[in-house]
Amino acid sequence: MEAPERIEPNLEVVRELKELTGGAFKRCGQCATCTIVCDLSAPDGDYPRGKMLWAQWGLKDRLLRSLEPWLCYYCGKCSQRCPRKAEPGETLMGLRRWLTSRYDVTGISSLLYRSWKAELLVLFVVALTTALGLLAYGFGHGNIRIYDGAQAFLSSAAIHRFDWAMAGVLTLFLGINAARMWWFTMVKDEPHKAPLASYLRQLPLLPLHFITQKRFSACDSRRPWAIHLVLMLSYVSLFTLIMFFLHDMQSGPAINWKVHAIGYAASAGLLGTVIFAIRGRLAKVEEQYKHSHESDWLFLALLALVTITGVTQHALHRTGHPMEANVAYVVHLSLVVPMLLLEVPFGKWSHMVYRPLAVYFDSVRRDALVHEKVTATRPEAAEGAAAGRAVHESHA
Amino acid sequence: MNDSDGKLIAVIGGGISGMTTALEAAEAGHKVLLVEQEPFLGGRVARNSKYYPKLCPPSCGLEINFKRLARNPDVRILTMAKVAAVAGGPGNWELTIRVEPRFVNEKCTACGKCAEACETMIPNPFNLGLDQVKGAYLPHPMAFPLRYVLAPKVAAGPDGAKCKAACTFDAVNLDDKPQTIKVNAASVVVATGWKPYDPAKLGHLGYGTVKNVVTNAAMERLASPTGHTGGKIVRPSDGGPVTDIAFAQCAGSRDENHLPYCSGVCCMATLKQAVLVREQYPDATITIHYIDVRAMGKYETFYAKLQQDPKVTFVRGVVAKVSADPATGDPVVESEDSLTGKRSTRKTGMLVLATGIVPAAGKDDCPLPLDRDEFGFVTRRQSKHGLHGAGCASRPNSVAQCVQEATGAALKAIQDLAAR
């Protein structure tokens, strides 16, 4: 038998997690009800239960290496059945917040999650800067009474260039964070590094899970998955239109219906699901909506405002109010820029990359185990067990 | 009944706690009225198979108490009786007690002729309704008072006359009517006991839907020589032997969705029941799913001894899901052992739910103005009003703890009398 390993709790991490999760995990007594009632926990999986223990001890290295928080879609069954009201669902949600802040190299994410006042301030500063920049550009290059064409206040060509520049910046940040996720989960401290062949074999999973969120649909109740899918597809549609068909959206008076039909449907989808989510978080009936972090509200508020101003500016443009449309457009973009700049690489939206990556990495790990005949138990399982024993003995 | 100059102690509930309080107070020279709703004394203890840790039968302990009661003229016993109304106040509680008709008077010698004559069968209250008994019945072989009872529907029906005709001692009285008795008591001890947590609320543990899922209370009857199987522990579905049995601890207890508190005795009850299974089945596989095994003090050795049994497995993880095996219908138990992180889905022949303790008499069952905690247990806050809880009416207690607490309650009651 190996010599027992001494496991030191990391109280700093525990404190961080209490802030990000609400702290209910401290009540967990490791009865493992949550693991069994979870529709997604793998037959060899020990979560949520195991992650509750790591959170209680603040086991930073294990948590950082863990993909499991990303494999949970918060159906809430675990929290419903938890005999101690230790909120395993919300704990995993908080762990996702914590991991997001840890993957982020800049420290911005951590700041935003810790203080909603700071987040609000940054949002405000970025929004104001954007508005002033747009106004300066508009009055310098165009006419506020003209919405589209050569003399337009904000010409679609200019905005198009701006969009692509911003997309580049966001991709860079998100790419760096995703690379760090890969480093923490698949390379650093990993005794059995997966070979390239495993990465290649499992690669199709990445687009599949990005587009379908297939794993989410395996939860007992499929409604949250369907709603999330509508939200996500609506968003991706609008994003595609804006990145590739901005000119068609803004030129007039003739309407390119192919583009507009998609745009209108996507806007309706976005607005509908956002209203649904806000109502859900206010009603607090469904488990996944019972606990709202400040960041959840800010995100929803931003998304709602962005959608409404986007629709408004378009409607004003199409109904022949170019000046009003230009003003609404400035407001719209002044909300879009901070939303994307903050949420995509540093906030809640980064999960669009982390989630499919986690499913992919998890499959890569399993593939590597099968194909490389690595039969050794994953170390954290054994260590988790050791920690479990330690806790048990301290209770006894 | 005002034969005690108002210096009467009323004890509500004739289980082990109520009997103890009544006896301790009476043997100190005080008048006691013992009110029991069943036709016999002994309550839950009488239904136990064996006590832990010594594994002696409940007759040990009950018998000596019955003997003490029988020879003590200061204890008046009312069976089939309940407190119907309360008036008065501290120092002078006026209790209205309703006594249900037994239809059998004190001339009964328990010869059993009435039962022979009776054809109607009723669910057996002593065996928790797990079997049927004649409508003219002796509640159980050790019943005190040792006297038969006629079920109301038997007394009112054609079987009543048959029973009366069969009785050679003129003990059957079909005209027996409910009676109302008023007493004044200076002190009232509430020892109304406990009932198992309603297993119907434990659907996720297969109760009521999966066969061979039983409660620990039913298990006591299965293991008891006075039970419906004569003490043979068998699978309820087919009466077959037990080769593989699992125990689900904290079935409802320590659960914010059910009973947030620990019921205190279920761990030891399960360990004891595991020993009883082992006594009957030397090769049976026994699996005990637990959160923590709460075997306090000297009970630790009982636990440690069972841990040495190679075919007893302790799994640190509750039973979170129970389904029926598609082929046999037997329980399939799912849990994760949090010490190893390994999940298991195991088919077992029988599953015992270690259901917890709930106060038996709620607000609706007991009209006394009792201060209760959020779970219905009687608090100590009303002691100065001459109202005291004892035994499982005040908290989940083992038999030994009940006896100790009931003795303490007797002292409290005596102090109430002295204060007058």
Side-chain angles (χ1 to χ4, degrees):
Chain A
M1 219 176 125
E2 289 173 47
E5 182 198 358
R6 186 176 172 83
I7 294 169
E8 295 288 347
N10 184 331
L11 299 181
E12 179 57 26
V13 171
V14 174
R15 196 187 56 75
E16 289 172 20
L17 292 176
K18 276 172 82 173
E19 278 180 28
L20 292 174
T21 64
F25 63 83
K26 299 285 277 183
R27 293 200 283 261
C28 172
Q30 294 285 298
C31 74
T33 298
C34 49
T35 309
I36 298 302
V37 299
C38 178
D39 294 319
L40 299 182
S41 190
D44 61 350
D46 66 350
Y47 72 94
R49 198 269 312 154
K51 308 315 120 185
M52 301 293 282
L53 184 68
W54 292 0
Q56 286 178 327
W57 284 61
L59 301 183
K60 186 177 149 191
D61 295 339
R62 289 171 183 79
L63 287 169
L64 262 183
R65 199 160 59 191
S66 173
L67 293 168
E68 284 137 338
W70 298 111
L71 302 178
C72 156
Y73 289 84
Y74 206 164
C75 73
K77 263 187 175 177
C78 52
S79 293
Q80 265 168 15
R81 278 282 305 277
C82 175
R84 299 286 278 269
K85 295 248 182 286
E87 303 288 352
E90 188 60 18
T91 303
L92 289 180
M93 182 71 232
L95 280 173
R96 291 193 285 277
R97 293 179 189 125
W98 184 80
L99 286 173
T100 302
S101 71
R102 289 283 169 162
Y103 295 158
D104 172 37
V105 70
T106 63
I108 295 172
S109 174
S110 173
L111 174 75
L112 300 184
Y113 270 128
R114 277 214 308 273
S115 161
W116 64 271
K117 285 176 189 164
E119 183 166 11
L120 211 56
L121 184 70
V122 174
L123 279 171
F124 185 72
V125 169
V126 175
L128 198 66
T129 311
T130 311
L132 291 175
L134 289 171
L135 288 175
Y137 179 86
F139 284 116
H141 293 81
N143 186 337
I144 188 125
R145 295 176 193 288
I146 302 173
Y147 182 82
D148 61 317
Q151 293 297 305
F153 187 69
L154 298 170
S155 76
S156 59
I159 297 299
H160 202 219
R161 281 197 299 279
F162 177 70
D163 284 349
W164 276 96
M166 200 165 80
V169 173
L170 296 182
T171 309
L172 181 71
F173 275 122
L174 198 54
I176 293 170
N177 291 350
R180 277 167 61 84
M181 175 192 185
W182 169 73
W183 171 259
F184 287 137
T185 58
M186 301 296 283
V187 185
K188 186 177 181 266
D189 303 330
E190 178 59 62
H192 309 293
K193 291 180 184 58
L196 184 62
S198 293
Y199 282 98
L200 291 176
R201 267 194 296 271
Q202 300 298 322
L203 196 56
L205 288 181
L206 203 49
L208 175 76
H209 283 273
F210 180 82
I211 295 165
T212 65
Q213 291 124 47
K214 198 165 152 252
R215 193 179 156 79
F216 198 171
S217 71
C219 286
D220 208 16
S221 164
R222 291 175 66 136
R223 208 171 72 127
W225 164 73
I227 291 162
H228 186 265
L229 195 65
V230 170
L231 173 70
M232 179 266 182
L233 288 177
S234 300
Y235 180 74
V236 168
S237 304
L238 278 171
F239 181 78
T240 310
L241 291 180
I242 286 164
M243 294 309 283
F244 296 100
F245 302 95
L246 190 66
H247 181 71
D248 293 311
M249 297 285 283
Q250 298 198 340
S251 62
I255 291 182
N256 177 350
W257 275 108
K258 271 184 201 158
V259 170
H260 278 72
I262 297 172
Y264 291 159
S267 299
L270 209 53
L271 203 57
T273 46
V274 167
I275 290 171
F276 189 87
I278 290 174
R279 280 180 53 185
R281 285 194 184 275
L282 287 174
K284 297 183 183 179
V285 174
E286 284 154 294
E287 206 61 51
Q288 70 271 29
Y289 285 146
K290 277 186 184 163
H291 309 272
S292 297
H293 193 254
E294 292 89 351
S295 59
D296 297 322
W297 282 120
L298 272 174
F299 167 73
L300 273 178
L302 272 177
L303 192 55
L305 287 172
V306 161
T307 312
I308 291 165
T309 53
V311 169
T312 306
Q313 63 90 20
H314 186 80
L316 288 169
H317 161 50
R318 287 294 169 204
T319 52
H321 301 84
M323 194 171 86
E324 290 83 349
N326 276 327
V327 172
Y329 198 19
V330 170
V331 174
H332 175 62
L333 288 173
S334 303
L335 290 164
V336 168
V337 172
M339 178 180 81
L340 294 181
L341 214 54
L342 262 58
E343 293 290 352
V344 173
F346 309 119
K348 198 178 172 80
W349 259 357
S350 56
H351 79 271
M352 70 180 179
V353 169
Y354 301 149
R355 273 205 190 279
L357 271 181
V359 176
Y360 171 52
F361 289 160
D362 185 55
S363 300
V364 171
R365 280 179 180 176
R366 289 175 190 280
D367 183 284
L369 282 171
V370 172
H371 285 271
E372 307 298 320
K373 307 256 185 290
V374 181
T375 47
T377 331
R378 290 193 54 75
E380 63 255 36
E383 286 161 11
R389 215 168 291 128
V391 168
H392 178 56
E393 276 158 16
S394 73
H395 281 316
Chain B
M1 184 179 117
N2 284 316
D3 54 353
S4 54
D5 336 318
K7 290 210 169 191
L8 177 78
I9 298 168
V11 178
I12 317 301
I16 192 72
S17 302
M19 278 193 289
T20 302
T21 300
L23 281 165
E24 297 293 346
E27 288 173 4
H30 300 280
K31 301 273 186 207
V32 181
L33 174 72
L34 183 57
V35 182
E36 167 56 44
Q37 66 173 349
E38 291 199 283
F40 61 96
L41 301 183
R44 298 273 167 200
V45 166
R47 289 174 167 92
N48 261 6
S49 59
K50 283 176 177 174
Y51 298 113
Y52 61 78
K54 288 185 179 170
L55 300 179
C56 39
S59 52
C60 158
L62 282 182
E63 200 173 19
I64 182 81
N65 279 340
F66 293 157
K67 205 177 250 176
R68 286 163 77 191
L69 283 170
R71 69 171 176 231
N72 197 319
D74 286 336
V75 184
R76 181 178 173 196
I77 301 166
L78 293 176
T79 52
M80 304 185 75
K82 280 178 99 166
V83 178
V86 178
N92 183 26
W93 292 104
E94 298 167 29
L95 307 180
T96 305
I97 295 161
R98 183 183 157 94
V99 184
E100 297 301 326
R102 189 182 186 112
F103 303 108
V104 179
N105 61 31
E106 66 288 344
K107 292 177 192 160
C108 175
T109 62
C111 69
K113 288 265 167 45
C114 56
E116 283 171 25
C118 178
E119 284 163 27
T120 311
M121 301 295 282
I122 60 164
N124 187 351
F126 190 68
N127 283 337
L128 315 171
L130 292 167
D131 65 348
Q132 300 268 310
V133 71
K134 286 280 181 69
Y137 61 103
L138 187 66
H140 66 100
M142 236 189 81
F144 180 90
L146 191 69
R147 195 189 300 175
Y148 273 64
V149 193
L150 259 59
K153 72 169 179 182
V154 170
D159 265 0
K162 287 186 206 161
C163 293
K164 189 173 171 58
C167 183
T168 51
F169 299 94
D170 194 25
V172 175
N173 172 17
L174 298 175
D175 301 324
D176 204 358
K177 294 278 182 296
Q179 292 175 49
T180 301
I181 295 170
K182 282 186 191 277
V183 296
N184 294 63
S187 184
V188 181
V189 176
V190 178
T192 42
W194 65 282
K195 60 184 176 187
Y197 182 65
D198 183 4
K201 292 175 183 161
L202 301 172
H204 60 285
L205 297 180
Y207 191 85
T209 53
V210 180
K211 66 182 185 183
N212 296 321
V213 176
V214 301
T215 66
N216 49 0
M219 188 68 174
E220 290 295 328
R221 296 315 302 141
L222 271 170
S224 170
T226 61
H228 54 300
T229 59
K232 189 77 188 149
I233 301 170
V234 290
R235 286 154 42 93
S237 67
D238 55 8
V242 176
T243 53
D244 189 306
I245 188 166
F247 290 86
Q249 295 310 108
C250 301
S253 297
R254 300 176 73 189
D255 188 333
E256 295 285 339
N257 300 313
H258 298 278
L259 304 176
Y261 53 86
C262 168
S263 290
V265 301
C266 338
C267 279
M268 281 309 295
T270 287
L271 297 181
K272 175 196 72 180
Q273 290 177 355
V275 170
L276 299 180
V277 170
R278 174 59 73 240
E279 280 175 359
Q280 297 190 15
Y281 301 101
D283 290 324
T285 303
I286 300 170
T287 311
I288 298 170
H289 296 265
Y290 69 98
I291 303 178
D292 313 282
V293 174
R294 295 190 164 172
M296 301 305 182
K298 64 181 178 180
Y299 298 147
E300 182 78 18
T301 46
F302 195 95
Y303 174 30
K305 200 175 155 198
L306 200 61
Q307 282 177 306
Q308 302 305 314
D309 188 323
K311 296 194 94 174
V312 175
T313 308
F314 287 88
V315 177
R316 197 201 179 279
V318 298
V319 172
K321 206 189 270 180
V322 176
S323 52
D325 180 63
T328 62
D330 280 332
V332 175
V333 170
E334 284 183 65
S335 69
E336 185 206 354
D337 188 335
S338 55
L339 298 186
T340 61
K342 294 265 184 292
R343 296 167 65 153
S344 75
T345 302
R346 260 188 91 254
K347 197 182 123 182
T348 183
M350 193 167 164
L351 174 65
V352 182
L353 307 181
T355 50
I357 282 180
V358 178
K363 274 196 179 70
D364 303 335
D365 307 304
C366 187
L368 286 159
L370 294 168
D371 183 65
R372 295 171 183 272
D373 68 13
E374 58 188 305
F375 312 117
F377 291 110
V378 176
T379 71
R380 293 180 173 184
R381 284 194 281 266
Q382 56 232 316
S383 252
K384 58 179 181 290
H385 299 148
L387 297 172
H388 314 281
C392 290
S394 63
R395 68 182 64 93
N397 277 323
S398 69
V399 178
Q401 288 166 323
C402 281
V403 171
Q404 290 164 7
E405 205 175 77
T407 306
L411 177 61
K412 286 281 175 193
I414 291 168
Q415 287 171 342
D416 288 339
L417 303 196
R420 265 176 67 92

